[in-house]
Amino acid sequence: MKFSKLGLSIGLALGVSMAAQAADVEVLHYWTSGGEAKSVAELKTMMEAKGHTWKDFAVAGGGGESAMTVLKSRVVSGNPPAAAQIKGPSIQEWGDEGVLADLNPVATAEEWDKLLPTVVSDVMKYDGKYVAVPVNVHRVNWMWANPEVFEKAGATVPKTWDEFFVAADKIKAAGMTAVAHGGQPWQDATTFESVVLGVAGADFYRDAFVKLNPEALNSKTMVDALNTFRKIKSYTDEGAPGRDWNLATAMVIKGEAGMQFMGDWAKGEFTAAGKVPGKDYICAAAPGTADDFTFNIDSFVMFDLDNKDLQKGQNDLASTVLSPEFQEIFNLNKGSIPARLNLPMDKFDDCAKLSSADFVRTADSNTLVPSMAHGMSTFSAQQGAIYDTVTEFYNNDDVTAEAAAEKMAKAVAAATE
Ligand code: BGC
């Protein structure tokens, strides 16, 4: 039996999903933190208003790795959900499996090509046709800071990595945790890609994480970035290994830590806690990355199901997700910005307004790059190869940065064969 890129062996046509009841629209996602749950509840409400039953298929685990494992087994057993949160180049991998529904009829009727920037719509198409609908645009290269912690330590919010170490030293010397981190591979990778961007810039980032150029992966620049990244560890607390990202955000919210490097879903946690940016917390670009933007676009794909009621539910879901009402309310809660063009931003906070302006600005200056850590720049196998080397390096001080860079280049090459 032949295994595909996703490692699936789908022997059977999907056919009718026997387990699904007529109008139950089952949606797989991994939005289970406070801010995320509030966001997805809006979608549920809107689908119910259209007469559908929302069947929640939430699989906890930041970054969605667990959700993808569960999804694969459901699809292999011929019982996929109606929709699933899948994004980036993985959409192409699922397209190759021949299991996705064609959303082009809705997309054409609603003129999605005119509603979306091409950097978004390109990701949503397989073989020229829409197979996914975008929910939002997240910016990954953020730093979330607690101003009280900075004030107590006499530190200033850093704009470069050199300034970061000065500030982190002061916070540490004042007896506080400088960096709230969750030691999980996807969170390590999230911080690491911001370091690479801040230390080496967008062109290098693209060479390494988009083009997967072995000379960039195994370079002096990568070695410098790795060393900078590992230095951050000494500013994290003992509880970091394994910690969920939203618990790390909570440390910044409560003033137990000075900063967190995380995409703007973290802002969803601040919002859910009733915190106001600029007053209770600070959103700043990760050091050295103010003129760059790592994007991460959440989207839903629909599975090809032989059931008219479910197909109607899928079309309604696709249409709802791109509606101005949903794009606004969801993203107000989620911390991201709308994927749809030309929506008013007046209800959004200053961080979202900055993100929206920077999305456009960095597209013009060619410093808008896809997030490696969030599956936007490579297929899952290559991303896994980078994750493995980065996490091993971060956790094992015996591994030199030179060895890690070399291993990364080799592992990525092996995953590409
Ligand atoms: C997703 C976000 C999600 C975050 C934490 C990211 O990869 O794009 O929607 O909030 O992971 O799970």
Side-chain angles (χ1 to χ4, degrees):
M1 186 161 281
K2 187 158 166 26
F3 284 84
S4 62
K5 265 199 210 140
L6 285 172
L8 306 187
S9 61
I10 305 172
L12 304 166
L14 293 179
V16 188
S17 176
M18 300 304 290
Q21 286 170 27
D24 280 2
V25 181
E26 188 178 26
V27 182
L28 174 129
H29 63 91
Y30 45 95
W31 291 325
T32 55
S33 76
E36 291 174 332
K38 277 184 99 170
S39 313
V40 78
E42 298 291 348
L43 187 54
K44 176 178 185 231
T45 305
M46 286 189 187
M47 283 300 282
E48 286 173 350
K50 288 193 175 171
H52 298 290
T53 309
W54 174 274
K55 201 169 163 200
D56 202 50
F57 185 4
V59 180
E65 231 176 309
S66 312
M68 291 308 111
T69 308
V70 175
L71 177 64
K72 283 178 194 169
S73 68
R74 280 282 302 265
V75 176
V76 167
S77 64
N79 181 28
Q85 187 192 347
I86 294 178
K87 56 189 178 156
S90 268
I91 295 172
Q92 305 304 312
E93 297 179 301
W94 283 98
D96 287 346
E97 302 288 343
V99 292
L100 301 186
D102 177 6
L103 300 181
N104 243 26
V106 191
T108 310
E110 297 183 352
E111 301 192 298
W112 287 8
D113 274 343
K114 290 194 186 145
L115 303 180
L116 297 171
T118 42
V119 70
V120 176
S121 59
D122 283 352
V123 183
M124 304 300 139
K125 293 178 184 174
Y126 176 76
D127 213 6
K129 288 184 182 160
Y130 279 96
V131 293
V133 57
V135 172
N136 59 10
V137 177
H138 271 301
R139 186 181 197 171
V140 181
N141 59 315
W142 281 116
M143 184 181 76
W144 308 94
N146 183 307
E148 270 178 32
V149 173
F150 273 76
E151 207 180 295
K152 271 191 224 155
T156 16
V157 176
K159 290 201 167 59
T160 63
W161 282 103
D162 286 343
E163 288 177 16
F164 162 81
F165 289 109
V166 173
D169 275 334
K170 288 190 179 164
I171 297 173
K172 198 174 169 180
M176 294 176 285
T177 301
V179 178
H181 185 62
Q184 296 173 349
W186 75 271
Q187 294 189 64
D188 297 343
T190 299
T191 302
F192 178 61
E193 74 175 18
S194 283
V195 173
V196 170
L197 195 59
V199 165
D203 287 341
F204 176 82
Y205 178 102
R206 213 177 274 119
D207 280 347
F209 295 148
V210 182
K211 297 182 188 156
L212 302 174
N213 178 348
E215 275 144 39
L217 290 167
N218 184 14
S219 64
K220 166 85 176 61
T221 309
M222 186 61 83
V223 167
D224 290 347
L226 282 161
N227 281 326
T228 304
F229 169 60
R230 189 153 66 189
K231 259 175 83 184
I232 298 173
K233 197 169 63 173
S234 62
Y235 300 98
T236 63
D237 67 326
E238 280 178 1
R243 176 187 285 136
D244 286 331
W245 68 271
N246 52 316
L247 301 181
T249 309
M251 291 169 68
V252 180
I253 294 177
K254 290 187 219 145
E256 291 167 10
M259 25 186 168
Q260 181 188 21
F261 299 106
M262 188 49 65
D264 44 21
W265 46 94
K267 191 169 57 119
E269 300 306 293
F270 285 97
T271 307
K275 303 293 179 191
V276 179
K279 178 175 158 273
D280 304 316
Y281 69 99
I282 292 164
C283 58
T289 71
D291 294 327
D292 307 300
F293 191 120
T294 16
F295 68 85
N296 170 25
I297 306 163
D298 283 314
S299 50
F300 283 112
V301 301
M302 315 286 160
F303 286 92
D304 190 10
L305 304 175
D306 190 11
N307 174 318
K308 289 267 173 297
D309 293 331
L310 280 173
Q311 285 167 4
K312 165 96 175 53
Q314 291 175 320
N315 287 337
D316 282 350
L317 180 64
S319 185
T320 304
V321 163
L322 220 55
S323 68
E325 298 75 26
F326 173 77
Q327 290 272 321
E328 181 178 87
I329 188 78
F330 180 89
N331 288 305
L332 281 170
N333 284 294
K334 188 72 168 62
S336 35
I337 56 172
R340 189 175 158 144
L341 289 165
N342 302 324
L343 290 185
M345 290 295 293
D346 41 289
K347 290 201 190 136
F348 286 83
D349 61 34
D350 289 347
C351 310
K353 285 182 182 140
L354 178 66
S355 180
S356 180
D358 282 353
F359 185 60
V360 176
R361 183 170 70 93
T362 56
D364 285 345
S365 58
N366 203 23
T367 53
L368 175 68
V369 291
S371 168
M372 173 278 291
H374 294 277
M376 299 303 298
S377 78
T378 69
F379 292 118
S380 43
Q382 289 118 345
Q383 183 201 37
I386 301 173
Y387 269 29
D388 289 351
T389 29
V390 168
T391 286
E392 191 202 4
F393 169 75
Y394 185 74
N395 289 303
N396 183 353
D397 289 341
D398 292 340
V399 181
T400 64
E402 287 76 9
E406 194 184 332
K407 195 169 171 191
M408 196 189 300
K410 282 197 181 137
V412 167
T416 308
E417 272 162 16

